[in-house]
Structures are given as structure tokens and as C-alpha cells.
Amino acid sequence: MLALSLWHRGIEMGLGDTEGRALLKGFTLSDDAVDAVKTELNVLEKERGRVKQKALTVISADVVASQLKHSNQRPTSDQASVLETLLAQKNSEVAVIESDLLRLQLKINDDINALKELERLKAEKQAKANSYESWLVSVRLLPMEVITRILQYSISYRGPSTKRKTSPFLLSRVCSAWRNSALGCSSFWSDLELELSNFSADHRPHLGLLLDLWYGRANLQRPLSISLTGAKYADEDLTIKLASHIIKFSPRMTTVFVDLCGGPESLAAFLASPGGPFPNLTSLTFIESDFTAEQNTYPITVFDQSPRLQKVALRIPPGMFEGDCRLFLPWNQLTHLYVGGPLLMQSFAIILFQCTQLEVASFPGINLADQSDNREPILPPFLVEFPHLTDLRLRLNGPFFSQDISEVFEMMLLPNLKSLDLAGFPFSFYSGDGELFPVNSLLPPLDMLQNMRHLLLAYADITREELLETLVACPLLESLTVCLNVIDPITLLKDLLVNEPSGQPESVPRLSHMTLFTFACIIPKENDGNVFDHVAFTAAFTALVTLLSR
């Protein structure tokens, strides 16, 4: 009621509805409203003074009230005089109360202003306190080495690149600590992924300067690596300049990744450089992803005479393995070799017999279907030993088996082979068309399988007896994968379960070391009265799994 009366009183004072509601809600008054209230107080004080100056003869109010209370009589002149005096007195008392209310409102207004000022001061002090507290959080107290190690996980898995989202330049824009860490950490600047298609034609001429800036921040004792892709977006002038800058840092490079992307001619200035600029190169990946690109017209010699090169991954057209315009590498010192894409038998033989120091070799695309190359592979005049080769993987692509590859394997000695993957062309396996390659023509002699740990045979031709003899020759076999359609799957599983077939313990597959067994087969179609025994198949497979689980 107090606030409501103040609101109405404010309206009567001409404060307006907004100021009146300010009184109602307890908000602070504007300066004009405060002046209006003070003016009203002065008026009330003057009115109060005039009322006190009147000298009235006051008759008892009870007498007048008793005379007029229960009647409609017209007051006499004396009664009217008394009532006017009493009315003036009550109005004076109300004015006093209103004055007190206005004084109280002014005091409340001052208190609210004081409260707001205190709240402002509190917020200001709290903001400063928060800033001081933020300077003491654990993240800010981390050593620079820890910050650098954390930031390294934000870089692309293939190493830093010039792309904004994976570049150290982005990290340097967060704060001064991150900037100092990014610019001062050699590991951020020792690896560069250079995608030429990401640069506009106006920016490509400055790529050489980018290399200088990037590698210039790397520690002089730290090895470098480079990934170069999108060669078809480079012109001759650019590659000449770019090649000079790459060669400038090549003595420190240990890893190189090159994807021509259909532009072998564009990188001629770099790839045709004389061999020897990479004395510390240990790993090379060289790809021509566009097999329809025109054959390069120059020899690729820049990676030749790299005395430490051991790991090479290639996926290039067959023409780059032979002739004067081939890829020159120090083949005789390689320890790890992966050759993807279609590989002709002639090229396969040329490469293989040069790499006598191999430890791991994978050829997933030996092409037996190309009838355009009728040349016989060039074989060495004597057996070639691969003393360190432990892991060999071959995929023969083509529906018809070529005796040439058997002749190649007959010239190989593999005394320490531990892992062998032999897989043929799956089309023949599923459709029955074409020829499956005979496993025995590619397997090393049985007496060289004593150290075999892993064996995969898929889409191949092998008899039940030949398979069992092979398994018997591998007493330390730990992993076996077979995908053979030439042996009845139930018979094969049962043979693996037999302890002493024919009473000859030496012909029993020894599975004591087996930790992984993978089996795939095609269930024969049930036609012409032939019904596949699913129950027997399931029982044999379950029994074998149980045996291997012991």
C-alpha cells in the first residue's frame, strides 16, 4: 500500500507514469524526479505551518459526531466550523505522513544508489581478482616442454602441412606461449607436406621461400622429411626453382614422399637430377596415381646413390621399371620393398634379383594376364640366396597361370623365411574359369620351412596330400590362413584334427604353436543329388577350434 500510494502520489506530482512505476518497484529515481519530490516536500512544510498558526476553539469531536451521526440534519454554523477545523487538522496530519514517506523514498533512493555503487565496485574488484587467478591456473604454469608435447598431437598424422587447419602457423595465433612453443619447436618444422594444388598460381612461385622459412626453423641436427604431391599443377619454371630449394635441404632428409598425380614431366627438373643429393635418405615412397598418364621421357635418378636407403614403397606404371627412362634406385641395399600396381613378370624378375638384402617384400600386383609382354624373365645363371628375407607376400593377378613365375621361384633360396602369403586371382576361384596357380610351384623346398610362423594360401591349386605335407614341414607355425576351393572343406578340417593319419606321426600337422586360424571356403551348391553336410562341417570346425584353444 505504501508503494502504491507513492505511485499515485508521484502521478499527482506530475512525475509521469514511468517515474511513478519507479517508486512502485523500488527503483532509483532520476534527478528530475528527486527535484520534484523535494519541491513537494517544501509545499507540504509550508501548508503544515499555516495550519499550526490557526487559533481554533475546538469543540469535542465526539459531541459533534454524536449529534450528526444518526441523522440527516444540516450542520449548524458552529458544527460546520468545528468540522472544518477537524478536517484541516487531519489533512495536516496526512501531509506530515506524506512528507515522511517522501523523505523515506529519498533515503531509499540514496541507499539504492549506494548499493549499486558498491555492486559496481565489487564487480570491478572481482574482475581483477579473476584475472589474477587466471594467471595462476595450472595450464599457465605448465613448462614449455609439456605445452610443446601437447601441441604435437594437434598436427596431421602425415606431419605438419601448409594447410591452415594442420599447420603450426595456426597454433601460433592462439597466444604468445603457444606462438613461442610452435615457432621454437623443431619437430613442427622438420616435416613438410607440400600439396601444390593448394596454392594459387600467384603463390606457387614463392614455394621455394616457403621451404626456406619452414626448414629454417628446424634444428640443424634434426632429420627432415618432405611430402610432395600435385605435380601436375606445377610448371617448368616453378619446379626448377623448387628443385633447387629441395636439393638445398636434401642432405638432411631421411623420408621422402612423392606423388606425381599425372604430372611426371612437371617434376623433371627435380627427378632427373644426378644421384647423390640424399646421403641420409632411409625411406622413400614414390607414387604415380594416374596410370593413364603419359610415360615419362627422362630417367629418374635423383634417389640413386643414396647409401642409407632401405625402405621403398612404389606404385608406378610398369614402364618406369625398365628401359633408359626407368627409376634408378640402389636396389641391392634395400631391406623393405613394397611394389603396388600392375607389375609385369619381366619387371618383377629384374627387381627381385637385385634386392638380395631384403627382409620384407610385398608384391600385391604381379600381372599374369598381360599378353602384350611376351618376353621371358631374365633369370640369373645360378641360385640367388636371400639370407635376410623373413616376410614375403605375393598376389598373382590374372586368370591364367604362367610357368614363368615358377621359374623365378626356382632360382630363389629362402633359408630364413618366416611369413609367406601366396594368393591368386579370385575370379578363377569363384567362377571356376581360368587356372589356379599350383602352390607347390611357388613354395620353397619343404626343408626350408622349418622356421615358418605365418602361412597364407588363397585362390590356389593344391591337393590334400600336398597341403598336409606343407603343414608338417612347418612345426613352428603360429598363424594359418587358407582359402581353397579345391579341397573339400569338411575333409580338410577333419584332416587337421587327425592325430596319426596312416599310423605315420611324421605326417601329422603339428598345431601346438597355433594361435590364429582363418578358414574360408565356398559351400558347394546342392544340385544333382549332392547335399552339403552342414552339421558335419560345423562339428569339424568346432572341434578344430576347441583343439587350437587348448
Side-chain angles (χ1 to χ4, degrees), residues 76-145:
T76 63
S77 57
D78 293 336
Q79 291 175 335
S81 177
V82 170
L83 291 174
E84 290 175 355
T85 301
L86 292 175
L87 178 60
Q89 290 176 345
K90 297 304 179 182
N91 288 335
S92 178
E93 293 173 357
V94 170
V96 171
I97 295 174
E98 285 188 351
S99 298
D100 294 338
L101 289 175
L102 292 176
R103 291 192 186 91
L104 180 59
Q105 181 62 36
L106 290 177
K107 185 176 183 305
I108 292 174
N109 189 70
D110 293 339
D111 292 341
I112 291 176
N113 287 332
L115 178 63
K116 290 184 176 181
E117 178 63 17
L118 291 175
E119 289 178 346
R120 185 191 66 78
L121 290 175
K122 176 186 175 182
E124 180 181 338
K125 302 298 182 183
Q126 186 64 53
K128 292 182 178 180
N130 292 341
S131 65
Y132 297 150
E133 183 179 9
S134 66
W135 296 341
L136 295 175
V137 295
S138 57
V139 174
R140 298 181 67 97
L141 301 179
L142 289 175
M144 187 64 67
E145 295 79 6

Side-chain angles (χ1 to χ4, degrees), residues 141 240 369 386:
L141 301 179
I240 292 175
F386 296 81

